[in-house]
Amino acid sequence: MDALRVQDPPRIGDYVLLARIGAGGMGVVYLGRSPGGRLVAVKVVREEITGHPEALARFRREAETVRAVRSAYTANLIDAGLDAAPYWIATEYVAGPTLARAVRERGPFPVVTCRRLVAAMAEGLASVHAYGVTHRDLKPQNVLLGSQGPQLIDFGIARGVEQTALTQDGQAPGTPGFTAPEVLTRNEVGAAADVFALGATVAYAATGRAPFGGGDAAAVSYRAVHEEIDTAGVEPGLAALIRACVEKDPARRPGPAELIRWCAVDRALVDDPAYQPLVAMADVVPDTPQRPPNAPVPAIHDLPTQGPPPSPPPPPSRPNPWLVAAGVGAVVGTAVAVAVWLLPGNGDGGNGGNGGEGGDKSDGPPGYIQDIGTSRHAWNGLRESCNLPGEEQPPLQFQYAVTTGENDPSGEIALGKAEIGYRLKMEEPNLPPYYVSVEVKPPHLLDTDDFGYVSKAADLYEGDETQWKNLVYPDDFSDRAGGKVRPAPPLADDPGEWTVVYHHATSDKNHRSVVCHGFMADTVSE
């Protein structure tokens, strides 16, 4: 939760704004307080998109869905302003982490906790489906771990089961890796698709890994349609339950009621000793609006837009807290409320950095990131996944891809080289800088914490962010330890599984991984 910025209004509707919960390309979510003192999450559409009919239709549809679905597993709609700009909705405020953040910071859940999570979320889906609504974007980022149990959020693309599955641009709804095969191949949306997403979500909770591996959206979706989900290392009974949820044929998947019977839980998730400490991962709610010192208060009609991001928090440690969960006290973290279209990771921005070739200045953008002892990622080519998830979520529309000269059908990439690219799928206007630096680790470094070879940091939003920003290995990569520049070695020197890590850098010595991927390199001639 961040302080309000200079451009943020003091109130929306009848609600006094206390702090920012998050912001993204589509909107800003605030913590608000009603005249009677009730805390709410107020989501406001950004001014830049108010002229887009499809975006407004989606926003209004979300409000209608949340208004219709009154469930213990969803945050209820309290108020809305949908007739004129600024467009906004206010829902119950739910303090607690998303499932994605809990796993990222605390590690995979124990088996018993996963079973209780399945039962609770299945009960939540049954409640939503009873209103004739399918969620269509269930994933770890859209499950809040609140004090009353898990809450399903983000009904921005939820619709009645009889409505079409396609979005305006003809793409299937949902998130790659959590979208069911029948949605991807036949445009068929139903309750069974939500069960598939539940299975994929629990697979992530049990392993800490993307359920169908990483890579670009098309590759992940292909694996969801044609390949098996990643349950390596999962207890056999839980793995069987997950695989049943993600059966390719929707008719063979269990329904929510059957899942609840299958889990046969003996207590509620909120009473689970591993779940209870997670509820405490929330900021202290401010009593008064939080603004920078001496900041002027804007007029009430001014609309929120994204300004410079706050200073970054320190990188999280990664112990296995479940070994001592029963004795863990309150943990100070980030309060998460009902929020849609957020841009995870942008809240970690900052303006310190290095504009030079490897120094340690703090008065400009980052140059070449340096080893800070957190290079633990390793890609497994057999599973096409990494041993660790990113330390923070990438931007909402972030896409990435790696192509080697041996696998390039166009023949434009030279043999013995790899092209590493990234971009945003859709334009996100007027966002602050988000510097990306890519680290490449040869196979001989994969069993170590040693840093790989890095590219110079570049602003993701500079220029046309929807165009691919491509780097060539080894040409654009080097080792800069100790102030010396050493060129990256050829791929042929180290055949095998190479790891590619995308970092969000706020300075040379302050960066966090957001995506891990990799590629295979053979012994080839240059």
Side-chain angles (χ1 to χ4, degrees):
M1 191 179 303
D2 299 321
L4 297 170
R5 300 178 187 172
V6 172
Q7 68 270 29
D8 290 330
R11 64 173 62 238
I12 292 290
D14 292 331
Y15 303 93
V16 174
L17 303 186
L18 302 176
R20 274 191 172 215
I21 294 171
M26 296 291 284
V28 181
V29 180
Y30 299 100
L31 176 66
R33 187 179 61 225
S34 74
R38 184 178 189 178
L39 293 177
V40 297
V42 183
K43 186 171 74 173
V44 185
V45 173
R46 290 177 59 195
E47 183 178 18
E48 292 87 340
I49 69 162
T50 56
H52 294 266
E54 173 61 21
L56 289 180
R58 174 174 166 174
F59 189 71
R60 289 189 172 109
R61 184 168 65 244
E62 179 185 2
E64 292 166 1
T65 301
V66 177
R67 191 193 306 275
V69 177
R70 309 291 291 184
S71 168
Y73 298 92
T74 62
N76 293 325
L77 184 74
I78 295 174
D79 200 355
L82 303 174
D83 296 329
Y87 301 99
W88 57 274
I89 59 175
T91 61
E92 292 177 304
Y93 172 70
V94 180
T98 64
L99 176 59
R101 177 178 164 236
V103 173
R104 187 170 65 247
E105 296 186 8
R106 306 292 302 280
F109 287 10
V111 173
V112 173
T113 307
C114 285
R115 289 183 178 276
R116 290 168 180 157
L117 178 66
V118 172
M121 288 203 300
E123 192 169 83
L125 283 181
S127 177
V128 170
H129 293 167
Y131 287 88
V133 172
T134 53
H135 188 284
R136 305 204 314 167
D137 199 20
L138 177 61
K139 57 185 176 182
Q141 294 90 333
N142 286 343
V143 178
L144 283 176
L145 306 182
S147 60
Q148 302 302 312
Q151 300 277 304
L152 304 178
I153 65 171
D154 192 349
F155 284 86
I157 61 174
R159 295 194 182 188
V161 295
E162 77 284 353
Q163 292 176 285
T164 177
L166 283 184
T167 58
Q168 186 183 41
D169 61 4
Q171 300 298 316
T175 301
F178 299 90
T179 303
E182 67 272 16
V183 179
L184 296 167
T185 61
R186 301 191 300 275
N187 195 19
E188 179 183 302
V189 172
D194 281 348
V195 172
F196 180 96
L198 186 155
T201 296
V202 175
Y204 173 80
T207 66
R209 301 186 298 267
F212 290 95
D216 62 82
V220 174
S221 294
Y222 177 88
R223 290 193 289 270
V225 173
H226 299 286
E227 299 179 9
E228 295 302 315
I229 194 168
D230 177 10
T231 55
V234 178
E235 185 270 331
L238 179 60
L241 185 155
I242 291 170
R243 288 194 294 269
C245 289
V246 298
E247 281 278 358
K248 306 303 182 187
D249 180 359
R252 299 182 61 182
R253 295 174 203 149
E258 185 178 349
L259 283 174
I260 294 170
R261 290 194 296 271
W262 191 335
C263 292
V265 297
D266 57 352
R267 68 170 68 179
L269 179 63
V270 294
D271 296 325
D272 188 294
Y275 182 88
Q276 292 172 342
L278 298 178
V279 179
M281 296 173 66
D283 281 333
V284 175
V285 174
D287 294 326
T288 59
Q290 303 298 294
R291 290 187 182 274
N294 303 318
V297 178
I300 292 178
H301 64 270
D302 289 345
L303 290 175
T305 57
Q306 286 193 280
S311 299
S317 58
R318 290 180 177 271
N320 186 345
W322 307 123
L323 298 178
V324 292
V328 175
V331 179
V332 177
T334 301
V336 182
V338 177
V340 199
W341 295 317
L342 297 185
L343 195 62
N346 268 2
D348 290 336
N351 101 22
N354 172 24
E357 297 291 304
D360 187 27
K361 299 179 181 179
S362 59
D363 56 357
Y368 291 87
I369 61 174
Q370 300 178 23
D371 186 2
I372 56 175
T374 59
S375 185
R376 297 184 296 270
H377 295 280
W379 186 69
N380 186 321
L382 295 177
R383 291 205 309 265
E384 293 194 352
S385 63
C386 289
N387 64 328
L388 291 175
E391 295 169 306
E392 68 176 52
Q393 290 294 305
L396 184 67
Q397 300 286 343
F398 189 77
Q399 292 184 322
Y400 55 97
V402 179
T403 305
T404 62
E406 292 68 41
N407 297 320
D408 176 27
S410 70
E412 295 179 357
I413 303 174
L415 292 177
K417 296 193 176 184
E419 185 176 80
I420 301 168
Y422 58 93
R423 69 163 184 171
L424 289 181
K425 179 181 177 183
M426 298 174 61
E427 183 182 6
E428 298 283 6
N430 302 321
L431 294 183
Y434 184 100
Y435 290 99
V436 175
S437 181
V438 180
E439 174 195 3
V440 176
K441 295 181 68 172
H444 77 272
L445 294 181
L446 298 191
D447 293 329
T448 73
D449 289 342
D450 293 343
F451 209 49
Y453 300 88
V454 297
S455 69
K456 188 172 183 178
D459 182 7
L460 175 63
Y461 302 120
E462 186 175 9
D464 185 349
E465 63 260 40
T466 65
Q467 295 296 314
W468 285 97
K469 293 177 172 62
N470 292 316
L471 302 163
V472 175
Y473 184 91
D475 303 18
D476 299 323
F477 292 80
S478 58
D479 175 6
R480 295 177 175 256
K484 297 181 180 180
V485 179
R486 304 171 185 85
L491 297 179
D493 287 1
D494 207 347
E497 299 169 344
W498 289 62
T499 300
V500 178
V501 186
Y502 295 79
H503 293 264
H504 172 206
T506 54
S507 72
D508 290 355
K509 291 187 176 181
N510 196 333
H511 49 84
R512 304 178 76 186
S513 62
V514 294
V515 171
C516 175
H517 191 42
F519 61 93
M520 296 295 297
D522 299 323
T523 304
V524 295
S525 58
E526 296 293 323

